[in-house]
Amino acid sequence: MDFDPVDAVMVWISAYGLMGLFAIALVERFIPLVPSYGLLLAVGIAAADGVWSLSTAFLATFVGSVFGCAACFYAVRLLDEARSTRFLIKAGRLFGLSAERIENAIVSVRRNQTVLAFSLQLVPTVRLFAPAFAALLRGNSRSFLVASTAGIAIWNGLFIGIGYQASRSIETANTTVLALVALGCLLAAEVALLWIARWIRTRRKPGGRAVRCLLALRDGKRSATSSSPRKTCSR
């Protein structure tokens, strides 16, 4: 595969040094022309080639991403609370949600905003809209920014590190191929984690076994060839 758009972008960025890294990380939060994981992989590969050191590359992209996240958050935060709520209600109605249900969801999200702010920065594409969403919900700005900063550090460090190691262990000069392989692995890992989380939630569903036992005892389902409901519930 001779076509390598990610590498072409990196050649342009390298001409501006660390300021170019800061700028592309900042702009990527608003105009994702190239997926961030691809850019970060390329940054790691360039670091392995000696274009810049690994630590300075991470710091420049990290600061740029944090600035972009904060800028998006505070830009949307300029809307007052009444307008933000009306916007969320109108958006929710497009998906068939009632105003009461939307308000309950807003309260629930605000209660868990720190965990959500951190975790959403680890989800491709969604991470770009998370600051605007948090601003519309009128959550605590300090908690959001601290949690988002931690998520950005992990996201940037992960892909820069993967790019750095891949450049040293995989014999291919095509950055775009590496980016596509990394995305496939990421999506596979996320699907596996979601499946595991859903399986655990189903297994631990509160009251599930107790309800089945009570129904069996109420109906008096007993037979000579099977265990009694009481024995089943006591297992």
Side-chain angles (χ1 to χ4, degrees), residues 146-199:
V146 170
S148 296
T149 297
I152 290 170
I154 292 176
W155 177 269
N156 287 23
L158 174 65
F159 283 103
I160 290 176
I162 290 174
Y164 185 85
Q165 292 299 326
S167 178
R168 291 170 173 263
S169 57
I170 300 176
E171 295 184 0
T172 176
N174 197 306
T175 307
T176 303
V177 171
L178 288 175
L180 291 174
V181 171
L183 178 61
C185 294
L186 176 65
L187 292 176
E190 288 187 345
V191 169
L193 289 174
L194 287 173
W195 183 87
I196 293 172
R198 184 178 179 182
W199 180 80

Side-chain angles (χ1 to χ4, degrees), residues 69-70 73-74 77 110 113-114 117 131 134-135 137-149:
C69 178
F73 177 83
Y74 284 112
R77 186 88 170 189
R110 285 176 179 172
Q113 66 169 347
T114 302
L137 292 173
R138 316 301 295 182
N140 182 278
S141 58
R142 182 177 179 180
S143 297
F144 168 77
L145 292 175
V146 170
S148 296
T149 297

Side-chain angles (χ1 to χ4, degrees), residues 2-193:
D2 297 329
F3 182 61
D4 194 351
V6 175
D7 184 65
V9 172
M10 288 308 301
V11 170
W12 176 79
I13 294 173
S14 63
Y16 296 92
L18 295 180
M19 285 303 299
L21 286 176
F22 171 85
I24 199 67
L26 175 67
V27 172
E28 183 270 333
R29 301 291 307 195
F30 301 95
I31 311 173
L33 296 178
V34 178
S36 61
Y37 63 85
L39 286 173
L40 295 171
L41 279 170
V43 169
I45 293 170
D49 293 338
V51 177
W52 38 59
S53 69
L54 187 62
S55 58
T56 54
F58 168 76
L59 183 61
T61 56
F62 168 71
V63 174
S65 295
V66 171
F67 267 73
C69 178
C72 180
F73 177 83
Y74 284 112
V76 178
R77 186 88 170 189
L78 293 175
L79 294 174
D80 56 46
E81 187 171 358
R83 289 183 178 179
S84 298
T85 303
R86 285 199 299 269
F87 178 84
L88 289 170
I89 290 175
K90 288 181 180 179
R93 284 175 176 170
L94 294 176
F95 297 94
L97 301 176
S98 64
E100 181 180 0
R101 188 173 179 182
I102 294 170
E103 290 175 357
N104 291 336
I106 291 174
V107 173
S108 177
V109 171
R110 285 176 179 172
R111 189 182 303 118
N112 301 285
Q113 66 169 347
T114 302
V115 175
L116 287 173
F118 172 79
S119 58
L120 290 180
Q121 287 304 314
L122 304 178
V123 181
T125 305
V126 175
R127 61 193 303 273
L128 302 180
F129 301 100
F133 181 64
L136 287 172
L137 292 173
R138 316 301 295 182
N140 182 278
S141 58
R142 182 177 179 180
S143 297
F144 168 77
L145 292 175
V146 170
S148 296
T149 297
I152 290 170
I154 292 176
W155 177 269
N156 287 23
L158 174 65
F159 283 103
I160 290 176
I162 290 174
Y164 185 85
Q165 292 299 326
S167 178
R168 291 170 173 263
S169 57
I170 300 176
E171 295 184 0
T172 176
N174 197 306
T175 307
T176 303
V177 171
L178 288 175
L180 291 174
V181 171
L183 178 61
C185 294
L186 176 65
L187 292 176
E190 288 187 345
V191 169
L193 289 174

